[in-house]
Amino acid sequence: MSFSATNQLRNTCQFPLQPVTTQMAKKRDRRVAPSSNRGKDRVESSDQSSDPKLTITLVLSFCVAAAAAVLAYRIKYAHPITNRAQSYVHQRGLVKIDVNYQEILTASTTLENAKVSENTSGRHYKYPVLAYITPWNSKGYDMAKRFNSKFTHLSPVWYDLKSQGTGLILEGRHNADMGWISELRMAGDVWVLPRVVLEAFPAELLTKKKQRSKAITLLVNECKEMGYDGIVLESWSRWAAYRILHDPSMRNLALQFIKELGDALHAVSLERNDKQRLQLVYVIGPPHSEKLQEHDFGPKDLRSLGDAVDGFSLMMYDFSGPQNPGPNAPLKWIHSTLQLLLGTDKNSALAHKIFLGINFYGNDFALSGGPGGGAVTGRDYLSLLEKHGPVMRWEKKSAEHLFFYSDDEYNNHAVFYPSLMSISMRLEEAHKWGCGVSIWEIGQGLDYFFDLL
């Protein structure tokens, strides 16, 4: 990597502490689907134009500024989440800042096939762990079976609830893999809650009692017929895109719908355990600025839904984008979001219902040759390491690893991808608050990541 390219990202690494898009769920789907499927079930985010020179002035002076502050933060808040002697990656000293690419390549081939594969049954993280699986990334299905006992909840991305004429239709049953669910249940007691994206026209759905009742009936009946343990519902970002949440009366209807759905699910006993009830996990995004906007999900909404919802999947990723390259989920952003939702009380009664989002994917940002970027999965990441042999860098303020490389056309790139250290610090942050975690998505990570869970 040339000196000029390093300076380029250093000059651009002064990131604002707000995410780059109001449609976080859409970007998340785009990051995992093949190009033909990207964003097919999402609302497009608004265009974000920027001066390229201004963009470049936004990526690593950030890196220079806060070493002392971050060190103090880590000393103050670094609480061990478990007995780390049980974690093989900790025993081997792999959870560290000064990692090099050879160690990552070696670990990905030898450790995953040896010791890590032997350590699939013990849980190191005591709070709930929800993992997403996507049908376009089959590795996730295998990881869910292999590391079954690491998870409390699994959410395959299977369903969409859509408007059809004057009615509603639930699409996605063809994605359901009942053989896979049977294997999971023979191996452990993980809850299976498929994700449902609520794509129905919100004005029709929320203002008409028959539509609301129909939607709830469709979802509850699908759980009964397919033997699911509940659902993960995603709707808030779509309602925000339709400006439903800006109207107080419509917002109340939206919250009321979620409560009614939760009550209906809780009224049904599980097929495999009549002492337990169907669960509702609700997807929420972080605020898009330091001050809550009308459409943001805030602490009042959290308290309003606290009794009706069993968990809140908080999407703490996609902080940066091609127009402002940078980290996936800065630690300070995570901390400030949890503080905004839960207040300063780290023993909040609702903290255990927050499933802090952790990304198992990364981003490859083009720093020259025009703005651009794309998702990086574990396979992509290892290929880039092997091809370019880069110097691994630790970005202190965000607490993420990155590296630079030049492609075959001599364009400079910056790659941010999770590391054992970055994941460990986020687990510690969640543990400090008493939160669970949710992972998007397990087919995109490296196998030895699971040893931390």
Side-chain angles (χ1 to χ4, degrees), residues 88 111-112 114-120 146-147 447-448 451:
Y88 186 71
L111 294 183
E112 290 171 7
K115 292 291 184 179
V116 173
S117 64
E118 296 171 10
N119 190 22
T120 59
R146 181 180 173 190
F147 297 100
D447 292 13
Y448 69 176
D451 195 47

Side-chain angles (χ1 to χ4, degrees), residues 27-167:
K27 292 189 64 81
R28 179 161 38 83
D29 275 0
R30 284 210 306 259
R31 293 187 188 286
V32 294
S35 58
S36 60
N37 293 330
R38 288 180 181 176
K40 69 183 182 67
D41 64 343
R42 325 303 299 152
V43 173
E44 289 294 337
S45 57
S46 59
D47 290 336
Q48 297 184 27
S49 59
S50 65
D51 184 338
K53 292 182 179 178
L54 182 59
T55 298
I56 292 176
T57 59
L58 286 178
V59 187
L60 267 167
S61 65
F62 173 68
C63 313
V64 181
V70 173
L71 179 60
Y73 174 87
R74 289 185 59 203
I75 291 171
K76 182 177 180 181
Y77 293 117
H79 299 296
I81 58 176
T82 59
N83 179 4
R84 284 184 164 177
Q86 299 175 357
S87 168
Y88 186 71
V89 291
H90 279 100
Q91 290 178 17
R92 287 293 301 269
L94 296 173
V95 186
K96 59 184 181 179
I97 288 173
D98 59 340
V99 68
N100 60 60
Y101 83 93
Q102 292 100 330
E103 289 176 315
I104 296 172
L105 289 172
T106 299
S108 70
T109 55
T110 59
L111 294 183
E112 290 171 7
N113 294 327
K115 292 291 184 179
V116 173
S117 64
E118 296 171 10
N119 190 22
T120 59
S121 59
R123 284 196 73 206
H124 305 308
Y125 192 75
K126 68 178 183 180
Y127 295 113
V129 177
L130 182 150
Y132 289 99
I133 301 100
T134 56
W136 52 83
N137 191 348
S138 61
K139 182 181 177 183
Y141 290 98
D142 296 332
M143 293 299 97
K145 289 190 296 183
R146 181 180 173 190
F147 297 100
N148 182 297
S149 62
K150 300 283 188 179
F151 314 114
T152 56
H153 302 69
L154 290 172
S155 184
V157 177
W158 285 344
Y159 287 94
D160 302 288
L161 182 62
K162 299 180 177 180
S163 297
Q164 187 179 63
T166 58

Side-chain angles (χ1 to χ4, degrees), residues 295-354:
H295 57 275
D296 286 330
F297 187 94
K300 290 183 179 179
D301 303 306
L302 183 69
R303 291 192 295 271
S304 175
L305 298 178
D307 292 334
V309 173
D310 300 286
F312 296 89
S313 181
L314 176 58
M315 300 183 295
M316 293 302 303
Y317 23 74
D318 284 345
F319 177 83
S320 303
Q323 298 295 337
N324 61 337
N328 295 302
L331 194 58
K332 183 178 179 182
W333 178 53
I334 293 172
H335 176 80
S336 63
T337 298
L338 289 174
Q339 189 170 56
L340 189 150
L341 286 172
L342 298 173
T344 56
D345 181 9
K346 296 180 178 60
N347 297 312
S348 167
L350 291 173
H352 70 284
K353 291 193 175 187
I354 298 290

